[in-house]
Amino acid sequence: MKTVFVSIIIFLIMSCKFNDKEDRFTIHSDKIMEDKAFPKKAWWKEAVVYQIYPRSFKDSNGDGIGDIQGIISKLDYLDRLGVDVVWLSPHFDSPNADNGYDIRDYRKVMEEFGTMADFDQMLAGLKQRGIKLIIDLVVNHSSDEHEWFKQSMSSKDNPYRDYYIWKSGKDGKEPNNWPSFFGGSAWEQAGPDGEYYLHYFAKKQPDLNWENPKLREEVYDLMRFWLDKGVDGFRMDVIALISKQQGFKDMDSIGLQHPEFTYAYGPRLHEFLKEMNQKVLSNYDVMTVGEAFGGTPEMTMELTDERNEEIDLAFWFDVARIGRDNWYQNDWSLTEFKKLVKEQCDVNYYNWPTIFLTNHDNPRTVSKFGDDSPEFREPSAKLLAMLLLTQRGTPFLYQGDEIGMTNFPFASFDQFDDVEIKGNYAKVLASGISPETYLEELNQSGRDHARTPMQWSDEDQAGFTSGDTSWLAINPNYTRINVKDNLEDPNSIFHFYRKLLDIRQDNEGLIYGDYQDIAPEHPNIFAYTRTGAKATYLVILNMSSSQDALELNSSYTDYQLVIANQAVENKLLNNTSLKLGPWEGRLYQKNNTYHENIKN
Ligand code: TEU
Ligand code: CA
């Protein structure tokens, strides 16, 4: 009897364990346990983040380079838009080999951007307006001009030697065949001893050696330095790359096509992040979002599984980079896109997704996902706003999206500034690709599209700078596409974003509600529901430049229109056959609790 009893208990314990494991990689909607019906609340789940690329946001002193005083002059603008958090791309002292993603001094503000006093003023100004600030933590690598690297390079016996990764060459060549993302080998010979240092990115971005506990303590210290100032967290640059495969074995030809699969998710990644969390992050109420490319969804989810106590959020690149193979942009279909969105939404209960369509490394949202022709730019930009702000996950909006800024028409290579494009040029051409083809692809995929200056007005230099040039050319369409016009026109993309932001903030169901794609096979229309405790929302988006129709099942009648990007005659959805114009998008809500008080 006793053994039977014990066996039952063991069986029960085992099955709980099994369920627990199951739960990690199945969807969050494990409704069996009541307390898991909806996600646990957190401010960073409810927040909408706005990314500022400081170099291109607003110049205050006429040198053609955006700066912190420029940002300060636009705080009311951000407040008006209604975002909750700003993610500031690197603002630290840097020789700008990669626009600040190569840091020379982690405790100093880039001279071109201003001073620490400017930074403090900006932080205070944001706080006054109830906006939080997260900064970019770039600690996979530093600049080669960082004092640590100068010391490290100076001799094999220098105490800073092991802050970086040095190896001796093989047969008079690099230690292995690893490539840099920015062209050429990932190894560079330097210093008096003839050794090579590792750099996954540019030569001027040597990788830090996370195996060294002293280096890790330095990183934790600099994190505390900024957190103690009152910043609200970090976006962590290529964080999945910090732990290196210690074997340093050659890659095979497949590996060479996608080095990120070798570089990301090294053996000690989780250990390092847990340590960082325990020693630093757990002592502050902050949000962290890691740039996590190079892994499977399961690998990424391990980083953000709250039970693991590592980081809160991760950027998966599958949606934003759909159809991309390095710099090459293949065709993609909406059904594929929907599958990827669903995959991200369906993380388990212990994870929370992000949603973003671009950032400073990608083409403009409306050019990639919408239709940037004069006819459809506005409706498609608004539709994409609806998509971004009605998803399950923390949305990240990139500067300029809110006015529908488009890709730049690059006509020659000398118009690019990007270290990635310059670095890869020789390799791409050597592989037999013509410069015309490369240019054509870069016109879809290049990173500089997102980096052209913000278009504030139709004045000279788009109101970005009072000088006569800017560091990167301004898109010639600034006379048509700019903030000033957007602010004046109540039907502009800006005001549409603003209303949607209000709606999201006022409707918890749009934040925490369940996600369901109700027409996964439709080739042009993206239709889904978000089911919250109080209401169900129905989002219908025609993501094409032609008319299309959608048959809804009868359970979707009696929904009330909340907002649409085009005039809709009947505010009550009482017809199961819907016809939608090109790029037409509608957001409905189940009747009883529909949103009546959209602020204007
Ligand atoms: O980006 C890393 C990254 O994943 C890519 O965007 C990368 O630039 C390229 O596509 C690889 O082919 C981060 C930053 O966002 C980017 O701006 C930096 O250049 C890079 O890290 C190095 O810090
Ligand atoms: Ca400036």
Side-chain angles (χ1 to χ4, degrees), residues 98 101 141 235 237-238 291 293 321 360-361 420 447:
D98 186 15
Y101 283 93
H141 44 268
R235 174 266 185 185
D237 192 59
V238 285
E291 192 195 21
F293 85 128
R321 288 257 166 115
H360 64 291
D361 294 332
E420 180 173 37
R447 305 199 301 178

Side-chain angles (χ1 to χ4, degrees), residues 337-338 341 345 355 383-392 504 510 514-520 525-531 536-541 543 550 552 556 559 586-588:
F337 179 88
K338 294 177 192 179
V341 168
C345 286
I355 174 89
L383 176 138
L384 293 165
M386 296 177 79
L387 171 61
L388 191 77
L389 296 172
T390 59
Q391 276 294 331
R392 184 171 183 280
R504 185 178 173 94
L510 277 176
D514 238 340
Y515 173 82
Q516 200 191 350
D517 185 342
I518 62 168
I525 295 179
F526 193 9
Y528 50 91
T529 53
R530 301 293 318 281
T531 307
T536 296
Y537 303 84
L538 174 63
V539 184
I540 301 173
L541 310 170
M543 291 181 66
L550 177 72
L552 287 169
Y556 297 113
Y559 274 66
R586 300 180 191 173
L587 165 62
Y588 291 99

Side-chain angles (χ1 to χ4, degrees), residues 316-322 324 356-358 362 368-369:
W316 302 16
F317 281 88
D318 305 24
V319 172
R321 288 257 166 115
I322 189 169
R324 280 283 296 280
F356 68 101
L357 296 171
T358 193
N362 287 288
K368 170 144 185 182
F369 296 97

Side-chain angles (χ1 to χ4, degrees), residues 36-56:
K36 288 193 181 176
F38 290 105
K40 243 189 265 168
K41 291 184 180 175
W43 64 262
W44 44 267
K45 294 182 181 174
E46 296 172 17
V48 175
V49 185
Y50 183 93
Q51 183 189 352
I52 292 184
Y53 194 67
R55 202 168 194 77
S56 303

Side-chain angles (χ1 to χ4, degrees), residues 59-67 112:
D59 175 23
S60 71
N61 62 352
D63 67 355
I65 297 171
D67 46 51
E112 289 167 333

